[in-house]
Amino acid sequence: MMRKYAKKRLAVSTTVATVGIIVALIIGLVGGYLAGSMAAAPATATVTVTQTVGAKTVTSTVEKTVTSTVPGGPAVSRIVIGVTDKVSDIDPANAYDFYTWEVLTNIMGGLMRYAPGTTELEPGLAIGYTVSPDGTEYTFRLRPNLYFADGTPMTAQDVVRSIKRVMEINGDPVWLVTDFVKDVVAVDDHTVKFILKKPVAFFPALVAIPPYFPVHPAYKPKEIDSDQTAGGVGPYRIVKWVRDVELVLEANPYWWQGAPKTKQIVIKFFKDATALRMALEAGEIDIAWRTLRPTDINDLKGKSGIKVIEVPGPYIRYIIFNTKIPPFDNPLVRKALAAAVDRKAICERVFLGTTTPLYSMIPIGMWSHKDSFLEKYGEHNLELAKKLLKEAGYSETNKLKIELWYTPTHYGDTEVDVATLIKEAWEETGMVEVTLKSAEWTTYLEYTRKGMLGATLYGWYPDYIDPDDYTSPWVNTTWTGYAYSNPELKKLLDEASVKPILEERTKLYERAQDIWADDAAVVPLFQGKLAVAVREGVEGVILDPTMLFRYWLIYKVS
Amino acid sequence: MASLKTFIIARALALIPTILILITLVFFIMRVLPGDPVVAIVGMKAPPERVIELKKELGLMDEAGNPIPLPIQYLNYLSKLVSGDLGRSLIWGKRPVLVEIMEHLPATIELAIAGFIVSIILGLVLGSLGGWMGGKMSSAVKTYGAITYALFIPWIGMLFQLFFAVWLGVLPVAGRIDTGLEPPTITGLYLIDSMIAGKWDSFLSALRHITLPALTLGLVISGVFTRVTRTSVEEVMRQDFVVAARARGIPEHKILLHVLKNSFVPILTMMGLQLALLMTGAVLTETTFSWPGMGTFLLERIQYRDYTTVQGTVVFFAIIVSLVNLIVDICYAYIDPRIRY
C-alpha cells in the first residue's frame, strides 16, 4: 500500500516534472529568442534611351551601353556560396528582403538594371524608354527574342501580367508598384507602357527592382507562390530548392546575354556565422557572403588563400529625435547632441572598421551625397556641443537628463555597444546624463509609433536605389511617431522626386541635406560596408551599394 | 493489484490533463509576451490595412474588424486543435504547420537518436566503471559528469569544427549531406534511407556529416547518464545479494550483469526525461552545425514571430514528450512488476 501510494506520488511528480520541463523548454526557447564551361556570348550592346522632357517635347538622347558582359574563357563548373541569410518567398509579389531580392535578381531580370559596381542604371530586358512630356507615361521597348529559362518566349504581355499580379496579390512590397503605377498596358508584343499616378523621376530605378520583374506564367496568378522555381528571364534557373538547406542554380542557356560562365551555383544556408567562416577555411564553400562577423572578417583578411572584398553598403543607421517630446523639441538640444556624437569611435571600436561614419542620410557612393552634418557640426565636437547646451540653459550642475532607447533584438548583438558609445560621447560634455533603455523589437516599434520615445536608434535598408528612398520616408510621415515636419524640406523633396533631370535633382537634394542637418531631427550615424570573403581562384566578384551579388559574373580558375 | 493493462489505461488518461495544461500554458504565454506579433511580421514600413488583414488571418480580429476576446480565441484554438489542425504558418507560403513539422522532424530524430546512442554508450560505460570500481575512478567519473553537463554546446561544437574540419580536414563543418547525394525519401532518416537504397556514397556522406553534431550532443547529455548510472550501480553494489553472490564465489562479470539489471530502473527514467533535454540540446547543436531540423526551424520561426508555427510546434513537442514519458512509465511497470496504481 505504501509503495502504491509512493508510486502514485511518483507518477504525479513525473507529470509535474514533465509539465515543468516542457514549460522550461518553452520559456527557454521563447526567452532565448529574444560548378564544363559554357561559351560566353559577346553580349555588349549599345542602346539608346530617349527621354522626352518638358512641354516643348525636347528630346534628349542618351547613349547607354551594357557595360557588364559575361566573362569568357574556361572555368570550374561549380561555385558554392555560403550565407546565413534566408530566402523568404521566391515570388517578387511578396519578397521584401535583400537576400531574396538578390536571388530573384539572379533568376529573373527587370526592364532596367544596375550596372555592376555602380548605382547607375543600364538597360536590362528593355533596350530603351521614352517619357511623355508630362512625365506620367513611361514606354519601354523590349529586346527582341527574350525567353524564360525553359525556352518559353517572353513578351510585353508577360510584363503586364506580372505587374498586375503583384498589384492583385497585394503583398508586402506592393506599395513600390501601387504608389506610383496607375496602369500598365502592352502596346504591342515588344512595347510596354506604364501610366503613372504622378510624375516620378526615379521610375527607371523602380523597374530595376523585383516587384517589377516579369515572372514565368507558371506562377500562380492570384496568390503568393513561395516556393515556385520557374523564375523569370535571368542568368540562372533553379534546379533544386530545399528551404533552409540549399539552393542549386544552373546557367540559363536562353538568357539574352548568353549562359553564364559558371554552370552551377550552389547556395548553402548556414545558421551560424562562425560555421560559415569555418566552412570557407575548410574549403567546403568558395565564397562566404552575408553575413560574416566583423571579427571574422578581420581575421580572414590575414589568411593565405582567402581574399576579403569590401565596399560601402546601402545600409545606414541613425538616431531619431522625437521633436514633440521635451527636451528634444528644442533644436539647440538636438544640435548639441548631433555635434557631440562620436561616429568614428562606433565604427572602430564596435564594428572594427567594417562600417563607415556617415554625415548625411543619403549614403556615400550615391549621387548627391553631401557631408552636411560634418560641415555643420564637425566630428565629436564637444566645444560646440557645450556651447549649444549652455544656450539651451544647461550646465555642469543643471544637466540635461535624457533617455536613449535601443533594441537588442533587431540590430544585432552590437547594438548595446553602439548605444553605450553614444551615451559616453554625450556625457563627455559634462552637461548630459543619459539613461540607456532597451525594448524588444516589436515593443520598441510599437512605442516609437505611439510617439512615446524621445531618442531612438534605427536603421534603414533602401527599397530602391535613389536619394528619395533615403529622405522622403522621414519627413511629414508618421511611421516613426515623431511627426518631423518642415514644409520647406517637404517641398524640396517633393520637387526632387518629380524632376526628370539629374543635375536639377542633385541640386535639390544637396539643399535638402543642409536643411536636414540644420534641423538635426534625424541624425545619421554610420553606413554599413559589404564584405565578402572568397577562396583564392574565385574571380569576378563585383559588389556595389545595390547589395546585389551577381552570380553570373563570378567564375573560378583552378 | 491492478493489471498492467489497467495501469496503462490510467496513465494514458492522466496524459489528457497534462497536455491540456501544456496547451493552455503555451497559448497564454505566447499572448502575454511583449510586442505585437503582427507588427513583427509586417515590419515597420507596412501600411495599416495590411496590419488589420493579418490580424484577421491570425484570428485576433473578426471580419468586421473588432478584436476577438482572448477566451474566445482560446476556445477557437482548442476546437481546431481537436480536429488535428495546428494552423497555418504566417510566413513563406503559409503552409500547414503540421506539414512543416513533418519536413523538419526526421533530421532532428536522426540527430537525436545518434546523440542519444553516443550519450548512452559513454554514460553507461563510464558510469558503470565508476560505480563498480569506486574510489578514484568514481571521483573521476563524477568530475566527468559535472564537466560534460556544464559544457556549452555551441562552444564545444565550435572546438570540434575547428579541430576536425578546419585543422584536420577530415569531417565537414556543417550540413546534413553533400549536394546531390540525398537518398530517396523513405523514412526521412538519411542513414537508414541510404542503406535501404544501397547508396553507399550517400551513407558515407550522411555519416560524416552526423558525426560531429552527434558527438557534441551525446557528450553533453552523457554527463547525466554517467551520474545516474554511477550512483545506481554503487547503490545496488551495497545490497545483500551482491555480498551473497561474492560469498558463493560467482565470477565478478556475472555479478556485474545482475547489478546492471537491478540498477536499470532509474537509468530508464532518466532516458525518458532526457528527451526534453535532447530536444533543447538539439536546438543549439542544430544551430551550431546548420542541421536542418526542428530546433533551427523553431528558433527561426520564433525570430520571425511566426506565431502559429511556434505555438503548433511547441504543442507538438509537448505531446511527444508526454507520450515518451508514458512509454517510459509502461516500461517501468514492465521491468518492475511492483509498480502499479
Side-chain angles (χ1 to χ4, degrees), chain A residues 147-158:
Chain A
Y147 300 97
F148 288 109
D150 63 351
T152 311
M154 193 217 93
T155 63
Q157 283 81 10
D158 289 302

Side-chain angles (χ1 to χ4, degrees), chain A residues 139-184:
Chain A
T139 309
F140 291 84
R141 213 150 28 92
L142 301 183
R143 278 173 202 283
N145 307 319
L146 288 170
Y147 300 97
F148 288 109
D150 63 351
T152 311
M154 193 217 93
T155 63
Q157 283 81 10
D158 289 302
V159 180
V160 174
R161 173 180 52 79
S162 303
I163 305 280
K164 292 200 164 158
R165 179 178 175 271
V166 171
M167 291 162 125
E168 160 93 31
I169 288 171
N170 199 22
D172 292 339
V174 68
W175 70 273
L176 288 163
V177 177
T178 50
D179 273 16
F180 311 101
V181 180
K182 192 167 29 171
D183 198 12
V184 54

Side-chain angles (χ1 to χ4, degrees), chain A residues 277 281 295-308:
Chain A
R277 176 217 159 137
E281 286 184 89
T295 44
D296 288 333
I297 294 168
N298 281 348
D299 276 0
L300 288 171
K301 277 180 188 163
K303 301 254 176 200
S304 66
I306 287 168
K307 268 192 304 191
V308 174

